[in-house]
Amino acid sequence: WAKVDPLAALNYSQSGPRAGHAVKEVLASWAANNPNAALAWARDNHEGDQANPHLVGIIRGLADTNPTLATQVLQELPYSSERGQALRNLTPYIASLGLDGAYQWLTVLEDPQLASGASAYLADQFSKQDPATGAEWVSRIEDGDARARALNKVVDNWTSQDPAAAKEWIATLPHDDQLNAGPKFV
């Protein structure tokens, strides 16, 4: 329905107990087919100074087809739960670029706090697939806070998959690497 008549789908989806989720679903579908129209609607239909929750759906819809535009839209969002949700939606597609592609993508993020959060989400993605790849990702991160957040993700995933191997890897880490929990939002 969102592909054929997105405005009607949006009008219908704005009522009901799960309206916010439904609107994001419609916007994701619309953005995949017509990003400019979907973005215009999302911007025109948001009021206030808070993060625009409609952009979360837009980013999810663009993640696979246009990660460059999805990243630009992501950078419009201020530090918020919406930005964290949008980043979680985008991260699997960025991880599919491999370590080099993900690292290159990370360098375009202008907000250091966003880059730190992205590093942690990517560490989580990589280490769920392969803990050694997650460990290699962590070794590329120079920022101390970002490195600590990413390191936590790798340790969590690796210890759940292979505690003995995780223990061996942890023993090889420099003493200045700290295992600290990061903030909830990015």
Side-chain angles (χ1 to χ4, degrees), residues 91-107 118-141 150 154:
T91 302
Y93 298 98
I94 301 305
S96 72
L97 301 173
L99 291 173
D100 292 335
Y103 191 77
Q104 184 177 1
W105 173 82
L106 192 65
T107 64
S119 293
Y121 284 133
L122 286 164
D124 190 44
Q125 281 291 313
F126 286 130
S127 61
K128 281 180 180 174
Q129 297 167 6
D130 175 37
T133 302
E136 186 177 341
W137 174 254
V138 168
S139 73
R140 295 176 177 214
I141 301 171
V154 173

Side-chain angles (χ1 to χ4, degrees), residues 54-98:
H54 302 316
L55 296 181
V56 175
I58 300 290
I59 292 165
R60 191 165 60 74
L62 293 173
D64 187 32
T65 59
N66 193 339
T68 301
L69 182 55
T71 301
Q72 291 169 356
V73 175
L74 174 68
Q75 292 190 91
E76 292 178 25
L77 288 169
Y79 176 85
S80 59
S81 61
E82 289 83 5
R83 183 167 81 170
Q85 184 180 6
L87 184 58
R88 279 189 300 277
N89 289 333
L90 183 55
T91 302
Y93 298 98
I94 301 305
S96 72
L97 301 173

